[in-house]
Amino acid sequence: SGMLYFYPPDTLEGASIMMSLLEDNLIHINGADYITIKDIKMTAARSTGVTIENGTGNRIVNCEIEYTSDKAVVIKGAETFRNGVTGSYIHDVNGGIYIEAGNISELLPGENYAINNRIERFARINKTYNGAISLFGVGNIALYNEMSNAVHLAVQFGGNNHKINYNNIHNVLQENDDMGALYAGRSWVSRGTEIKYNYIHNLESPLANKVGIYGIYLDDRYCGT
């Protein structure tokens, strides 16, 4: 009959109840350069918070993104360079910052970045392979981020020549075996990624009894990191 029933888990006094009907991105930048989105709170979308593609120098600065049914931010495209997210708080989303950019055939770096963000509770619908940060393509960057509170991985990466440095990663892999807080797998040609000076701690799973959970997991022929 199309009737939705909500059984509250606790009292509704002072509560805010939301249901999004928006099936599109909250913000979609396509083919534009040097746009800054700053000091905005974005909440409740059935798709992605912000998508950036085919542009240069676009920035998300000091924003809060919450309650999306897909990623908080997607940065993608072979012609997408030096876009990024800084100083933002991302939480209760179905995937944090997803970057897939740079030209693989020419090994041309995208230089897109996630820097100094706090990202937590980032796989709220699809529990696996929805990292706080995902880096694919060539030459993208994750620096000085704090990532926490998830049942699966924090960072997934593939492609070439990324930098994953100085991040604080904790309390992830909470319901896992055979997985790492930073994870990549199944490629002989995805080489050159640099992982340095990350603080990875408080990893604990009651299911980790056959293979185990790890800080950094290079799986199934993943070479040259």
Side-chain angles (χ1 to χ4, degrees):
S1 63
M3 181 68 70
L4 174 67
Y5 294 91
F6 172 58
Y7 294 91
D10 205 340
T11 176
L12 294 181
E13 183 178 355
S16 175
I17 300 172
M18 296 177 289
M19 184 179 71
S20 174
L21 300 178
L22 179 67
E23 296 184 359
D24 297 325
N25 306 311
L26 288 171
I27 298 174
H28 192 161
I29 298 172
N30 189 353
D33 303 323
Y34 302 107
I35 293 173
T36 296
I37 302 165
K38 185 177 181 181
D39 299 328
I40 294 176
K41 181 175 180 177
M42 292 170 262
T43 185
R46 294 169 67 182
S47 185
T48 298
V50 181
T51 295
I52 300 171
E53 56 182 321
N54 303 318
T56 298
N58 300 290
R59 303 184 305 150
I60 301 168
V61 181
N62 194 34
C63 289
E64 181 178 353
I65 305 175
E66 64 178 7
Y67 300 116
T68 62
S69 295
D70 206 333
K71 309 291 189 293
V73 178
V74 172
I75 299 171
K76 63 181 181 179
E79 300 299 323
T80 303
F81 302 101
R82 296 182 296 282
N83 306 276
V85 186
T86 61
S88 294
Y89 178 37
I90 295 170
H91 63 96
D92 299 289
V93 292
N94 195 43
I97 301 168
Y98 181 94
I99 300 174
E100 186 170 5
N103 190 313
I104 286 185
S105 63
E106 300 178 9
L107 288 181
L108 182 65
E111 297 180 329
N112 302 281
Y113 55 86
I115 298 177
N116 193 32
N117 303 288
R118 180 182 169 197
I119 309 171
E120 62 180 348
R121 301 187 303 276
F122 44 80
R124 71 184 189 97
I125 299 172
N126 302 104
K127 301 298 185 182
T128 60
Y129 299 102
N130 271 310
I133 297 175
S134 300
L135 299 181
F136 296 96
V138 180
N140 300 300
I141 301 162
L143 303 176
Y144 302 108
N145 302 282
E146 181 180 0
M147 297 168 256
S148 65
N149 296 317
V151 301
H152 204 240
L153 54 78
V155 178
Q156 185 177 10
F157 63 96
N160 301 82
N161 303 336
H162 305 301
K163 293 184 184 298
I164 307 170
N165 300 334
Y166 299 101
N167 299 286
N168 179 8
I169 301 169
H170 60 92
N171 297 101
V172 297
L173 306 176
Q174 294 173 356
E175 298 178 10
N176 271 205
D177 187 40
D178 192 16
M179 183 48 58
L182 284 76
Y183 177 85
R186 300 176 177 83
S187 175
W188 283 337
V189 298
S190 293
R191 307 176 69 87
T193 290
E194 174 184 286
I195 302 172
K196 290 183 177 180
Y197 308 118
N198 298 283
Y199 180 32
I200 305 170
H201 59 104
N202 291 86
L203 306 181
E204 198 170 327
S205 169
L207 305 179
N209 54 24
K210 185 176 181 182
V211 178
I213 57 174
Y214 302 91
I216 301 168
Y217 196 149
L218 307 178
D219 197 7
D220 291 341
R221 307 180 306 278
Y222 201 90
C223 306
T225 298

